[in-house]
Amino acid sequence: MKKNWLKNGKSILYRHDTESLAVIIKISREEQLNALNKEVILSLSEVLTNIEDDKKIRSVIITGEGSKAFIAGADIKEFQNFKEKEATDLSRSGKNRLFNKISNFKKPVISAINGYALGGGLELALSSQIRLASTNAKMGLPECTLGIIPGYGGTQNLAKIIGTGRAMEMILTGKMISSEEAHRIGLVNYVVEPENLIDKCLGLAKSIKNTSPESLESAIKSINACFMNTGDNLETTEFGKLFETENFTEGVSAFLEKRRPNFNK
Ligand code: COA
């Protein structure tokens, strides 16, 4: 393990930057492009719980290990044989443990998108309060190409951030967009060279350090109240139902077999 990094579970590294008072959390499952399996979700959630009330920490930066991926989605191999009940539980428990925790966190969470942010990976970034991307990042919600839909708040949060017109196109086509395009449509606040990404985030963390922590907690709560996710439960129910379809089996098999799915039977 690199110097100063602490480890939680198998794949979460974190360190405290004493100058900016930020905690940097790194998802470290590089060989699987940092895909979110159950273990990563639990370990990440645990670190967040442990720091939420720590007054020496004023913000959180989440990034992915390596230069290829932030997070390439929920772990498809883990849910490939799920049926409706398990899928509904996966969505509900992921939201309760992690995604809604990030949205409602008492301190700002900054996503440093350092490569692919797909599916659950982009949904994690969408739950954060602030998003930055490196020039090589690619973002998308490809779930409809797998025979499912985003199940970690993506249908709600993407529409909230970039508007329903653009969210519809991104979700219904499943296409990835570049970081420049993401910046143009307001999905990320800044695009920087990969080697400057964490420094840029730490710069924001230093500005955050000069604010009142109680004000930030109240501001996050109030801004979130302006856009309540009224479709959150509906998204979970629809997500679960799709796991009973033949096209889900086809979509996931195609991904695992590294081929294009055939949904037109
Ligand atoms: N879940 C599980 N494993 C994943 C994954 C995911 N979401 N994303 C990538 N991986 C794994 C691949 O299966 C592969 O594992 P293997 O070496 O055991 O075969 C490894 O990570 C490397 O990925 P690979 O697809 O070979 O890299 P690539 O450079 O050809 O393609 C991506 C990169 C990101 C375009 C491609 O991995 C991809 O489309 N991933 C899935 C994205 C997705 O649909 N996410 C939403 C999930 S709900």
Side-chain angles (χ1 to χ4, degrees):
M1 199 179 6
K2 284 174 207 151
K3 210 173 145 212
N4 297 333
W5 288 91
L6 301 168
K7 195 169 185 185
N8 194 50
K10 286 189 197 147
S11 324
I12 298 296
L13 300 176
Y14 63 104
R15 75 175 174 86
H16 188 191
D17 180 67
T18 48
E19 204 186 330
S20 64
L21 302 187
V23 163
I24 306 172
I25 303 178
K26 209 185 260 189
I27 294 147
S28 181
R29 257 193 111 204
E30 205 179 342
E31 72 297 341
Q32 295 295 301
L33 305 188
N34 303 322
L36 292 176
N37 61 9
K38 218 184 217 169
E39 207 271 328
V40 171
I41 290 181
L42 281 178
S43 304
L44 179 53
S45 169
E46 214 167 72
V47 172
L48 290 171
T49 302
N50 291 341
I51 62 179
E52 187 158 25
D53 291 313
D54 186 334
K55 292 196 174 359
K56 294 186 295 302
I57 295 165
R58 296 297 317 283
S59 61
V60 179
I61 297 166
I62 300 181
T63 195
E65 182 80 84
S67 55
K68 188 165 172 183
F70 171 66
I71 301 166
D75 192 319
I76 298 168
K77 290 158 191 159
E78 203 173 61
F79 67 55
Q80 58 177 306
N81 296 316
F82 278 14
K83 292 288 180 204
E84 180 170 3
K85 186 181 176 314
E86 293 154 301
T88 307
D89 288 349
L90 179 79
S91 165
R92 190 168 292 131
S93 66
K95 285 179 185 180
N96 289 341
R97 288 199 176 114
L98 184 62
F99 291 80
N100 292 348
K101 182 190 287 229
I102 292 175
S103 297
N104 300 312
F105 208 61
K106 292 180 187 169
K107 310 168 195 290
V109 178
I110 303 171
S111 279
I113 305 172
N114 58 307
Y116 287 113
L118 301 174
L122 182 57
E123 290 179 287
L124 190 142
L126 293 169
S127 301
S128 315
Q129 283 70 39
I130 303 176
R131 286 160 294 283
L132 282 79
S134 57
T135 46
N136 63 323
K138 290 237 182 320
M139 285 155 260
L141 292 177
E143 284 86 348
C144 291
T145 68
L146 287 167
I148 53 172
I149 59 168
Y152 287 140
T155 62
Q156 310 299 293
N157 292 332
L158 188 65
K160 185 169 84 185
I161 294 165
I162 64 169
T164 48
R166 290 193 163 108
M168 283 281 185
E169 183 178 339
M170 274 185 75
I171 294 173
L172 301 184
T173 64
K175 280 200 174 143
M176 290 184 219
I177 60 170
S178 66
S179 44
E180 286 74 19
E181 175 69 355
H183 184 233
R184 197 181 66 77
I185 64 177
L187 181 51
V188 299
N189 295 13
Y190 302 94
V191 178
V192 291
E193 291 300 328
E195 60 275 21
N196 299 329
L197 183 63
I198 296 300
D199 280 350
K200 181 74 183 170
C201 294
L202 289 172
L204 284 177
K206 280 183 201 154
S207 303
I208 288 168
K209 185 178 79 166
N210 298 327
T211 61
S212 151
E214 290 82 9
S215 295
L216 294 200
E217 187 179 338
S218 295
I220 292 169
K221 242 194 233 172
S222 302
I223 296 168
N224 285 346
C226 174
F227 299 101
M228 284 299 189
N229 288 344
T230 51
D232 214 27
N233 288 332
L234 179 84
E235 180 193 82
T236 292
T237 309
E238 294 296 322
F239 176 81
K241 278 195 322 207
L242 290 165
F243 280 69
E244 300 287 337
T245 64
E246 277 179 24
N247 279 336
F248 161 70
T249 311
E250 167 61 10
V252 168
S253 307
F255 172 75
L256 296 173
E257 292 158 20
K258 302 188 189 277
R259 62 170 172 84
R260 276 181 185 276
N262 176 9
F263 292 133
N264 299 315
K265 283 181 217 158

